[in-house]
Amino acid sequence: MTKFDVLTVGNAIVDIIARCDENFITDNGIIKGAMNLIDAERAELLYSRMGPALEASGGSAGNTASGVASFGGKAAYFGKVANDQLGEIFIHDIRAQGVHFETKPLAATPPTARSMIFVTPDGERSMNTYLGACVELGPEDVEENVVAEAKVTYFEGYLWDPPRAKDAIRECARIAHANGREMSMTLSDSFCVNRYRGEFLDLMRSGTIDIVFANKAEALALYETEDFEEALTRIAQDCRLAAVTMSEEGSVVLTKGERTKVDAISIPRVVDTTGAGDLYAAGFLYGYTAGRSLADCGRLGSLAAGLVIQQVGPRPLLSLAEEGRKAGLI
């Protein structure tokens, strides 16, 4: 028996979420719908211009770990915070959701990462992230026993921005594969793909990564094509298993010999798309590590993503286990 179903590794970030109009995005030079990396000065400026805001622990892989735990799965997380107020918030929140989190915090600077997220009336979120303590995540933060005892280790493509994190991920892959476990990643964002296309493809083609998550824009960016069918064909060739999401059109789960189309769930209104991809991965990996069919894995992913975009914030406020039972998926 393994101790954990899913271990996730990512940037430990506290989200500061506020609503805004389209003019705010334009006037402040924010790239809509993307994750914009910013420095401390820009973070202070945007914070000063924000309206009323909600603070909530986030970070892509942290959201995924919380989703797995909400389904009833056994989740663990690696990520770096500082010993400060936002760091305490992050540690409390992720542990309160039942996720194993023991990464040692930094004693001082840089401070815990924060992401100012502006949500426009269409529900789209534009993230402005100061990485802070995240950049200090390194190989020394890898808990070998946790990686060895996790069925799947999953990390976010955003980790390719802080340089030492790459070494941590490669160490996780070495340990995981040495223990017969699997490695998974999400491409995170099309701008992230454009920065690291060659490295991401090498991770996939070398077998360092077994399972890849992407959305339609990321898949197109990965292969520098406008032909979605071509992107799907190529991603199926480059990794053992891929799940590509398409917003309201659902998702496609691909292996070299099989393609499964999964519908999105019907929802009355999109409130905030923050965390949609993270929660899709949570549902999928919960199902995958429980031995469910690929179609069911996709359905669990669609359920979690559909629920999280009906609320403000990236972590499930409802019990995903209970919602899964209501939907007949658990």
Short mmCIF file of all heavy atoms in Angstrom, two decimals, residues 283-300 324 328-330:
data_model
loop_
_atom_site.label_atom_id
_atom_site.label_comp_id
_atom_site.label_asym_id
_atom_site.label_seq_id
_atom_site.Cartn_x
_atom_site.Cartn_y
_atom_site.Cartn_z
N GLY A 283 -9.42 16.05 -9.97
CA GLY A 283 -10.42 15.00 -10.18
C GLY A 283 -9.88 13.86 -11.01
O GLY A 283 -10.11 12.68 -10.70
N PHE A 284 -9.14 14.20 -12.05
CA PHE A 284 -8.58 13.17 -12.93
C PHE A 284 -7.61 12.28 -12.15
O PHE A 284 -7.70 11.04 -12.22
CB PHE A 284 -7.86 13.83 -14.10
CG PHE A 284 -7.44 12.87 -15.17
CD1 PHE A 284 -8.20 12.72 -16.33
CD2 PHE A 284 -6.29 12.09 -15.05
CE1 PHE A 284 -7.82 11.82 -17.33
CE2 PHE A 284 -5.91 11.20 -16.02
CZ PHE A 284 -6.68 11.06 -17.17
N LEU A 285 -6.70 12.89 -11.41
CA LEU A 285 -5.69 12.10 -10.70
C LEU A 285 -6.29 11.32 -9.54
O LEU A 285 -5.82 10.23 -9.21
CB LEU A 285 -4.56 13.02 -10.21
CG LEU A 285 -3.66 13.58 -11.32
CD1 LEU A 285 -2.70 14.62 -10.75
CD2 LEU A 285 -2.88 12.46 -12.02
N TYR A 286 -7.33 11.88 -8.91
CA TYR A 286 -8.03 11.10 -7.88
C TYR A 286 -8.59 9.82 -8.50
O TYR A 286 -8.42 8.72 -7.97
CB TYR A 286 -9.16 11.93 -7.25
CG TYR A 286 -10.10 11.07 -6.43
CD1 TYR A 286 -9.73 10.61 -5.17
CD2 TYR A 286 -11.35 10.70 -6.93
CE1 TYR A 286 -10.57 9.79 -4.43
CE2 TYR A 286 -12.20 9.89 -6.20
CZ TYR A 286 -11.81 9.43 -4.96
OH TYR A 286 -12.64 8.62 -4.24
N GLY A 287 -9.24 9.96 -9.64
CA GLY A 287 -9.79 8.79 -10.31
C GLY A 287 -8.71 7.84 -10.80
O GLY A 287 -8.81 6.60 -10.64
N TYR A 288 -7.66 8.41 -11.35
CA TYR A 288 -6.56 7.60 -11.91
C TYR A 288 -5.89 6.75 -10.84
O TYR A 288 -5.64 5.55 -11.04
CB TYR A 288 -5.54 8.52 -12.58
CG TYR A 288 -4.42 7.80 -13.27
CD1 TYR A 288 -4.60 7.21 -14.52
CD2 TYR A 288 -3.16 7.72 -12.68
CE1 TYR A 288 -3.55 6.55 -15.16
CE2 TYR A 288 -2.12 7.06 -13.31
CZ TYR A 288 -2.32 6.48 -14.54
OH TYR A 288 -1.28 5.83 -15.17
N THR A 289 -5.61 7.36 -9.69
CA THR A 289 -4.92 6.62 -8.62
C THR A 289 -5.86 5.65 -7.91
O THR A 289 -5.41 4.77 -7.17
CB THR A 289 -4.29 7.59 -7.60
OG1 THR A 289 -5.29 8.48 -7.10
CG2 THR A 289 -3.17 8.39 -8.24
N ALA A 290 -7.17 5.80 -8.15
CA ALA A 290 -8.15 4.85 -7.60
C ALA A 290 -8.46 3.73 -8.59
O ALA A 290 -9.32 2.89 -8.32
CB ALA A 290 -9.44 5.59 -7.23
N GLY A 291 -7.78 3.76 -9.74
CA GLY A 291 -7.95 2.68 -10.71
C GLY A 291 -9.18 2.81 -11.59
O GLY A 291 -9.63 1.83 -12.18
N ARG A 292 -9.72 4.02 -11.72
CA ARG A 292 -10.91 4.22 -12.53
C ARG A 292 -10.57 4.26 -14.02
O ARG A 292 -9.42 4.48 -14.41
CB ARG A 292 -11.60 5.52 -12.12
CG ARG A 292 -12.02 5.58 -10.65
CD ARG A 292 -13.13 4.60 -10.33
NE ARG A 292 -14.36 5.00 -11.02
CZ ARG A 292 -15.24 5.86 -10.52
NH1 ARG A 292 -15.04 6.39 -9.31
NH2 ARG A 292 -16.32 6.16 -11.19
N SER A 293 -11.57 4.08 -14.88
CA SER A 293 -11.37 4.17 -16.33
C SER A 293 -10.97 5.59 -16.70
O SER A 293 -11.25 6.55 -15.97
CB SER A 293 -12.65 3.79 -17.07
OG SER A 293 -13.64 4.80 -16.88
N LEU A 294 -10.32 5.75 -17.86
CA LEU A 294 -9.92 7.08 -18.30
C LEU A 294 -11.14 7.97 -18.50
O LEU A 294 -11.09 9.19 -18.22
CB LEU A 294 -9.09 7.00 -19.58
CG LEU A 294 -7.73 6.31 -19.44
CD1 LEU A 294 -6.99 6.31 -20.77
CD2 LEU A 294 -6.88 6.99 -18.36
N ALA A 295 -12.24 7.42 -18.97
CA ALA A 295 -13.46 8.21 -19.13
C ALA A 295 -13.95 8.73 -17.78
O ALA A 295 -14.33 9.91 -17.65
CB ALA A 295 -14.55 7.37 -19.80
N ASP A 296 -13.94 7.87 -16.76
CA ASP A 296 -14.36 8.31 -15.43
C ASP A 296 -13.39 9.33 -14.84
O ASP A 296 -13.82 10.26 -14.15
CB ASP A 296 -14.47 7.11 -14.49
CG ASP A 296 -15.81 6.38 -14.62
OD1 ASP A 296 -16.69 6.88 -15.36
OD2 ASP A 296 -15.97 5.31 -14.00
N CYS A 297 -12.11 9.16 -15.11
CA CYS A 297 -11.13 10.14 -14.64
C CYS A 297 -11.46 11.52 -15.21
O CYS A 297 -11.45 12.53 -14.49
CB CYS A 297 -9.72 9.73 -15.07
SG CYS A 297 -9.09 8.26 -14.26
N GLY A 298 -11.77 11.55 -16.51
CA GLY A 298 -12.14 12.80 -17.15
C GLY A 298 -13.42 13.38 -16.58
O GLY A 298 -13.56 14.60 -16.39
N ARG A 299 -14.40 12.52 -16.30
CA ARG A 299 -15.66 13.00 -15.73
C ARG A 299 -15.45 13.60 -14.33
O ARG A 299 -16.06 14.61 -13.98
CB ARG A 299 -16.67 11.85 -15.66
CG ARG A 299 -17.15 11.37 -17.03
CD ARG A 299 -18.22 10.31 -16.92
NE ARG A 299 -18.50 9.72 -18.22
CZ ARG A 299 -18.11 8.50 -18.59
NH1 ARG A 299 -17.45 7.72 -17.74
NH2 ARG A 299 -18.40 8.05 -19.80
N LEU A 300 -14.61 12.95 -13.53
CA LEU A 300 -14.31 13.49 -12.21
C LEU A 300 -13.59 14.84 -12.33
O LEU A 300 -13.84 15.76 -11.56
CB LEU A 300 -13.45 12.50 -11.42
CG LEU A 300 -14.21 11.27 -10.90
CD1 LEU A 300 -13.24 10.14 -10.58
CD2 LEU A 300 -15.03 11.63 -9.66
N GLY A 324 -19.26 14.19 -5.81
CA GLY A 324 -19.01 13.03 -6.67
C GLY A 324 -20.03 11.93 -6.45
O GLY A 324 -20.48 11.27 -7.40
N GLY A 328 -22.99 10.35 -9.01
CA GLY A 328 -22.87 8.94 -9.33
C GLY A 328 -21.49 8.53 -9.81
O GLY A 328 -21.33 7.48 -10.45
N LEU A 329 -20.48 9.34 -9.47
CA LEU A 329 -19.12 9.06 -9.93
C LEU A 329 -18.26 8.42 -8.85
O LEU A 329 -17.17 7.93 -9.12
CB LEU A 329 -18.46 10.36 -10.42
CG LEU A 329 -19.05 10.96 -11.69
CD1 LEU A 329 -18.46 12.35 -11.96
CD2 LEU A 329 -18.81 10.04 -12.88
N ILE A 330 -18.71 8.44 -7.61
CA ILE A 330 -17.95 7.82 -6.52
C ILE A 330 -18.87 6.80 -5.82
O ILE A 330 -20.03 7.12 -5.54
CB ILE A 330 -17.49 8.88 -5.50
CG1 ILE A 330 -16.50 9.86 -6.15
CG2 ILE A 330 -16.86 8.22 -4.28
CD1 ILE A 330 -16.02 10.96 -5.25
#
